[in-house]
Amino acid sequence: MNEATTCGRRCLACGAIESIGTSEPIWPVDWRCPACAKGASQVNGIPMFAPELADTVSGFDPKAFDELAGLEGTHFWFVARNRLIVGLARKFFPSARRFLEVGCGTGFVLQAMAESRQWERLVGSELHPTGLTHARRRVPQSEFVQMDAQNIPARGVFDLTGAFDVIEHIADDEAVLRGLRAATKTGGGTIITVPQHPWLWSRADKVAHHQRRYRRGELETKLRRNGFEILFSSSFTALLLPLMAASRLKDQKDAKELEAYEFKLNPVINRSLLEVLRAEVCMTLAGIRWPAGGSRVVVAEAI
């Protein structure tokens, strides 16, 4: 993929690229494109690049953010996934200092990344301002922007980008991958996590507004097609796959039963599952690649 001659913020109206000073926000709330004078509206100091989609049920129900914010900090899956993401960022991109998370939700992953090293620029983006309300409290040092992940207003700004269980919510997932590639400088990279195995499709996917579960190799193919080279790929929650399959293939009658079965776990069970996944993550970071599991994590370099 050809790199643009200039890198910086991108005007969504005319496509012009404007360079960014080291000490200024990527998208100042009063910013106007120098070429066409178009800008973004702002709400509570957050630039809004897709206000027409804000807090709509578009790939995700924003009502779920309040519950997620109270759940993520202790739930075994979210805690272990954070450890895996931070570990892979340290292993493959130790010198990265400018990070963008697309679909940052309540800021749980962004907070872990913020605490993992000193960043020159840390940015969280989300379609739904409801999620950003939580994210700003968790990561006050970060910049935040409301935008559609299919249309990222930046080019070549970041040396690390990520989307963690985001693109499965979007019909045109490759539009997001193209946007991530454009926002990532050549030689930088991205980390993507997605749900895996179509045979695991269940009511949980419908409740979560998923468009798909990924086949093995599908995400890697799409990343290559959009300007990335694969550095690492593995399943996640491999050791818990039998339990996950039993849960997902069980005939849950309604969303409340699903919530009780998968999210509101007995604390002893939750701690036990966390210990299993901690061991799995340690082995993954040591180089083991799991052929099957509930999720897929892929690390790729922008080429």
Side-chain angles (χ1 to χ4, degrees):
M1 180 177 290
N2 293 328
E3 195 79 296
T5 55
T6 59
C7 300
R9 60 179 71 92
R10 181 175 70 91
C11 176
L12 297 184
C14 71
I17 309 295
E18 182 187 28
S19 61
I20 304 167
T22 56
S23 62
E24 66 174 325
I26 294 184
W27 300 286
V29 294
D30 59 350
W31 175 77
R32 293 281 174 182
C33 173
C36 71
K38 294 288 180 65
S41 60
Q42 65 90 22
V43 175
N44 296 325
I46 293 177
M48 304 280 288
F49 283 98
E52 71 282 0
L53 297 175
D55 285 338
T56 62
V57 182
S58 179
F60 185 83
D61 188 346
K63 293 178 182 177
F65 283 124
D66 289 344
E67 187 171 6
L68 270 177
L71 174 75
E72 293 164 313
T74 57
H75 190 277
F76 73 94
W77 185 84
F78 292 102
V79 173
R81 186 186 63 162
N82 263 14
R83 181 170 291 201
L84 176 62
I85 292 166
V86 170
L88 290 171
R90 284 176 175 153
K91 183 174 183 177
F92 289 98
F93 307 106
S95 62
R97 291 296 180 268
R98 295 177 298 279
F99 175 62
L100 167 68
E101 181 184 356
V102 167
C104 70
T106 68
F108 185 62
V109 178
L110 193 66
Q111 181 181 32
M113 292 294 281
E115 294 170 353
S116 70
R117 70 182 74 176
Q118 289 294 117
W119 297 94
E120 295 174 8
R121 197 178 289 281
L122 188 68
V123 180
S125 79
E126 173 58 54
L127 186 64
H128 304 299
T130 301
L132 291 177
T133 300
H134 295 284
R136 291 177 92 178
R137 287 197 292 264
R138 274 182 162 157
V139 201
Q141 69 271 39
S142 177
E143 298 176 48
F144 291 101
V145 60
Q146 186 271 348
M147 70 179 187
D148 183 350
Q150 298 173 94
N151 203 6
I152 301 173
R155 183 175 294 278
V157 172
F158 304 97
D159 43 21
L160 181 59
T161 56
F164 310 116
D165 292 272
V166 171
I167 67 172
E168 69 273 11
H169 296 272
I170 299 170
D172 188 359
D173 55 349
E174 292 197 58
V176 183
L177 299 181
R178 286 191 296 273
L180 286 171
R181 175 60 190 92
T184 307
K185 72 173 189 177
T186 297
T190 196
I191 303 173
I192 310 287
T193 62
V194 293
Q196 187 175 232
H197 303 315
W199 59 267
L200 280 175
W201 184 268
S202 71
R203 181 175 178 80
D205 296 285
K206 295 177 184 177
V207 169
H209 299 276
H210 288 171
Q211 296 282 331
R212 69 191 70 78
R213 299 186 71 89
Y214 286 76
R215 294 175 174 81
R216 185 178 175 185
E218 180 181 355
L219 178 57
E220 294 88 333
T221 297
K222 290 178 175 180
L223 280 163
R224 291 188 188 98
R225 196 153 56 209
N226 289 284
F228 290 98
E229 179 182 348
I230 307 305
L231 301 180
F232 179 86
S233 177
S234 178
S235 295
F236 171 54
T237 59
L239 297 180
L240 296 180
L241 182 58
L243 285 176
M244 183 177 180
S247 170
R248 291 302 173 90
L249 300 179
K250 181 179 180 291
D251 183 23
Q252 285 114 2
K253 301 300 182 184
D254 54 36
K256 287 186 176 179
E257 183 181 353
L258 172 67
E259 179 183 14
Y261 204 76
E262 292 205 357
F263 294 107
K264 294 187 176 178
L265 298 173
N266 176 287
V268 174
I269 294 174
N270 187 65
R271 284 195 298 271
S272 299
L273 296 176
L274 177 57
E275 290 307 312
V276 172
L277 282 191
R278 278 176 172 163
E280 179 185 307
V281 168
C282 286
M283 288 186 278
T284 302
L285 294 176
I288 291 179
R289 305 189 185 203
W290 307 93
S295 298
R296 170 68 50 175
V297 57
V298 180
V299 180
E301 180 181 359
I303 59 172

